[in-house]
Amino acid sequence: MEFGAIAIILLVVLLLSTLFRNSQQINNIYDPELARAMEYQKVNDGEDKVDEAGYVKFDAFFLRDLNNDGYADKIRGTCREITATDTLYINLNVLTEGTLTEGKIEIKGQNINFKTAIVDDNVIEGNYISENTTSIELKDVEKGTQKLIYGTIKAPSLGTDTKKYSNSENKIILTGKHKKADGTITNISKEVTFTVDWYASVSCSIYDYTGYRTGAQNVEQVIDKENRSVNLSFYIETREEKELAILKSSYLTGTIPPLNGHMPDKVEITGTDITAEYND
């Protein structure tokens, strides 16, 4: 009996564990940022090589746990809400031979600002404390040196440029010279391209409304005795409150109620860049 009870308990634990994992996988599927991240290229082993000099490794990437296994994957892109940030990692490694000289890292962001707080050390030449760093100078980097540089990407002002929502041409570029012990010098250049996608939520409302009320207009102003009609007018305006996204268009619907049992004979809507119709 005891063995049977233990077996049942173990079975229940295994079932609960399976259900928990399946629940996490379902939640991941409905995470739009994660769904987009799964479409980016994963960084494979060996992609950090520099073709001109095998003793220099260089790469740039974002980190994201794509399959919820507790381990972050290196990927060539990120998706974030426009008010959020993400960390971009830049890895430089000089292996067992030679020195990297005249090194420079350029950040060519098409739809990002690269915020850094990098200080002078044995690899970095100077301080880079900036809201938008575009280049980093390097000292002579000796063999056996590995340096991880990182900063925060932020969305720039969009203005009216919708291309800044998504761009696959952001680049991190390493240039310099590799000098071997025998004096051989090789010019090197390595370019890493990555995608950044920004998105925003919107909140629209009617923020200024002046409607017809008793006493708000003189009766003579609204009653047309000759045509036996009542003419009412009011002003309405909408706005997008968060002001983070570039709106392509907005859509407003409303219901005109009957007046003493009579539906309107005609409804006209006037304004700038407005197309409207009334379904009677």
Side-chain angles (χ1 to χ4, degrees):
M1 292 295 294
E2 292 181 358
F3 175 78
I6 293 173
I8 291 173
I9 292 172
L10 288 175
L11 179 60
V12 171
V13 171
L14 287 173
L15 287 173
L16 289 175
S17 177
T18 301
L19 289 172
F20 178 70
R21 287 198 301 270
N22 290 340
S23 175
Q24 287 182 315
Q25 291 172 357
I26 290 172
N27 288 336
N28 287 342
I29 291 173
Y30 292 102
D31 180 346
E33 289 187 4
L34 183 58
R36 180 67 178 122
M38 289 179 176
E39 299 180 10
Y40 301 130
Q41 177 188 342
K42 290 183 68 174
V43 179
N44 299 312
D45 292 340
E47 290 186 7
D48 57 353
K49 69 177 181 179
V50 176
D51 291 335
E52 299 89 351
Y55 291 100
V56 179
K57 305 291 184 182
F58 180 77
D59 211 346
F61 49 84
F62 297 93
L63 294 176
R64 190 69 182 259
D65 185 355
L66 297 178
N67 53 12
N68 203 38
D69 62 356
Y71 296 95
D73 300 287
K74 297 178 181 179
I75 54 177
R76 303 283 189 213
T78 186
C79 176
R80 285 289 186 266
E81 191 166 8
I82 205 164
T83 55
T85 62
D86 203 356
T87 301
L88 174 64
Y89 298 90
I90 304 172
N91 193 37
L92 173 65
N93 194 357
V94 180
L95 302 178
T96 57
E97 170 67 29
T99 303
L100 174 64
T101 65
E102 301 179 27
K104 181 179 181 180
I105 298 172
E106 294 181 87
I107 301 93
K108 294 187 177 294
Q110 301 301 314
N111 68 334
I112 64 168
N113 288 339
F114 188 50
K115 181 179 179 180
T116 60
I118 303 170
V119 296
D120 185 279
D121 60 15
N122 63 319
V123 174
I124 305 298
E125 181 68 61
N127 298 319
Y128 299 90
I129 302 173
S130 171
E131 292 293 319
N132 188 23
T133 298
T134 57
S135 66
I136 300 171
E137 301 286 342
L138 304 176
K139 296 178 180 178
D140 289 350
V141 185
E142 303 293 338
K143 65 181 181 181
T145 301
Q146 183 171 8
K147 180 69 174 179
L148 182 64
I149 304 167
Y150 56 89
T152 301
I153 66 159
K154 302 173 64 177
S157 174
L158 293 179
T160 58
D161 188 359
T162 57
K163 293 180 180 179
K164 289 184 178 179
Y165 278 115
S166 178
N167 197 293
S168 300
E169 296 299 323
N170 295 286
K171 297 178 181 180
I172 303 292
I173 303 171
L174 170 69
T175 56
K177 297 179 180 180
H178 181 253
K179 182 178 180 180
K180 291 185 177 180
D182 62 6
T184 303
I185 297 177
T186 304
N187 291 324
I188 64 172
S189 179
K190 172 72 180 291
E191 180 179 289
V192 181
T193 304
F194 58 93
T195 301
V196 175
D197 295 307
W198 302 108
Y199 69 93
S201 58
V202 297
S203 176
C204 299
S205 64
I206 301 171
Y207 82 97
D208 189 0
Y209 170 76
T210 304
Y212 176 78
R213 297 179 179 87
T214 303
Q217 292 175 293
N218 190 288
V219 174
E220 284 73 18
Q221 291 179 294
V222 299
I223 295 179
D224 184 345
K225 294 182 179 179
E226 181 178 346
N227 295 307
R228 297 177 59 82
S229 65
V230 175
N231 300 316
L232 303 175
S233 64
F234 58 89
Y235 171 80
I236 190 171
E237 188 168 341
T238 62
R239 68 176 299 176
E240 198 284 303
E241 296 173 336
K242 294 186 177 181
E243 299 183 346
L244 297 173
I246 303 170
L247 296 185
K248 181 178 181 181
S249 62
S250 61
Y251 184 64
L252 176 68
T253 62
T255 301
I256 306 297
L259 179 62
N260 289 339
H262 297 279
M263 294 301 296
D265 294 323
K266 182 173 64 173
V267 174
E268 293 181 338
I269 303 174
T270 60
T272 304
D273 297 326
I274 289 178
T275 301
E277 64 178 30
Y278 171 63
N279 184 343
D280 58 4

